[in-house]
Amino acid sequence: RRLRPHRKPCERMAESSKTLARLALLELCRSWHPSRSLSCLPLELSRLVWEQLKANHALEHQAAAGDHDAPAAPMPCALMFPLVRDVWRASEMDLSDGGRWITDASLGALAYLDGLASLRLTLCRFLTDSGSAQLPRLSGLQALDVSWTELGDRAAGHLAGCPGLTSLNLTGLGGLTDRGVASLLPLRRLQRLSLASTSVTDAALDYLTYYTRFPEANTDGAPCSRPLCPAPRAQLPSTISRTCLCLAPPPPPPPPPPP
């Protein structure tokens, strides 16, 4: 009878460590949740977690389909967010033309990305005004593109709760009217606003430019309660202002020359 070679204690310890690491990885992925914190996870271990999550998702999809040869389904966004937030640390995200994969629930999951500063949702037509109420939870958001979606005036009211926005693209929102634009007045840091192919009229542009250049005129904090033409026209060409309305105040005049 052939005797098994005697292994050194260090070899047995290394094998036990690998087994424990494997069990810990399986348990971590089994109890996965979008709110899980991975802030202390090294990059190399995060790759193992990601591979295990994909394997688990493929097995669940095959079991649900009753076919072990079924192709893998796309990974849900919720599975990726802890990695994106804590390990990959995404500051910019482009989810344009996401089809049915980008819904109101996706916006809720985005709130876990504390460092997200730029978000593009062009052509995400399954987003609704109700779902846009999740966007103010993105406290660091500075640039937002929701062009050619189904959002409208109610969504604009929700976007007013994103005080850090400096750039906002609302191109192609057929449901956006003058009242929705008026609700954007609380965005005091906004510098670029795109309103092409919307239902906005020149009256709303005059209203918006007047109160951004003279903020002291808006004292009640309720822009939607004011009439849309409270001041003389701002003399902005409508063809330019609807494409990209620059809201930054004009620079102060140069000081007079010394006598």
Side-chain angles (χ1 to χ4, degrees):
R1 186 176 59 176
R2 180 178 298 178
L3 296 177
R4 296 178 62 182
H6 179 70
R7 293 183 299 173
K8 297 179 180 180
C10 59
E11 294 178 353
R12 293 198 300 268
M13 185 176 296
E15 185 175 342
S16 299
S17 298
K18 290 181 180 179
T19 303
L20 289 174
R22 179 65 178 171
L23 292 174
L25 178 63
L26 292 174
E27 179 61 24
L28 174 66
C29 296
R30 186 183 66 83
S31 58
W32 193 256
H33 189 272
S35 63
R36 181 176 293 279
S37 174
L38 301 177
S39 56
C40 298
L41 191 68
L43 181 60
E44 192 61 34
L45 288 181
S46 71
R47 293 172 181 169
L48 297 178
V49 171
W50 177 237
E51 292 299 327
Q52 186 62 46
L53 286 174
K54 290 193 294 184
N56 290 355
H57 179 67
L59 291 175
E60 292 174 1
H61 177 69
Q62 292 171 356
D67 182 6
H68 293 289
D69 297 325
M75 293 286 291
C77 295
L79 290 179
M80 295 185 286
F81 280 124
L83 293 166
V84 174
R85 179 194 63 218
D86 295 330
V87 182
W88 302 331
R89 300 193 181 282
S91 60
E92 300 180 6
M93 185 169 289
D94 188 347
L95 301 176
S96 299
D97 200 12
R100 295 182 180 272
W101 298 109
I102 305 301
T103 63
D104 293 346
S106 305
L107 297 185
L110 284 173
Y112 293 108
L113 304 180
D114 299 333
L116 191 61
S118 176
L119 177 61
R120 189 177 182 191
L121 298 168
T122 304
L123 287 171
C124 293
R125 299 189 180 277
F126 288 87
L127 300 178
T128 68
D129 285 351
S130 298
S132 65
Q134 305 283 351
L135 290 173
R137 297 172 61 191
L138 297 170
S139 57
L141 194 61
Q142 299 176 14
L144 177 63
D145 185 345
V146 291
S147 56
W148 304 106
T149 62
E150 302 301 319
L151 303 184
D153 287 347
R154 286 181 56 206
H158 295 148
L159 295 180
C162 303
L165 281 178
T166 60
S167 176
L168 180 59
N169 189 350
L170 303 178
T171 300
L173 303 191
L176 184 67
T177 67
D178 293 355
R179 184 163 295 277
V181 171
S183 66
L184 298 176
L185 278 184
L187 300 178
R188 297 298 178 86
R189 298 182 181 179
L190 199 61
Q191 298 177 7
R192 299 183 67 84
L193 175 63
S194 298
L195 297 170
S197 301
T198 63
S199 301
V200 174
T201 68
D202 288 346
L205 300 178
D206 294 340
Y207 177 85
L208 190 59
T209 53
Y210 176 79
Y211 279 114
T212 51
R213 294 187 179 190
F214 304 100
E216 65 278 1
N218 180 32
T219 57
D220 61 3
C224 291
S225 65
R226 293 179 178 271
L228 282 180
C229 244
R233 292 184 173 271
Q235 304 300 324
L236 289 178
S238 59
T239 55
I240 297 177
S241 56
R242 278 204 189 91
T243 302
C244 185
L245 183 64
C246 295
L247 301 177

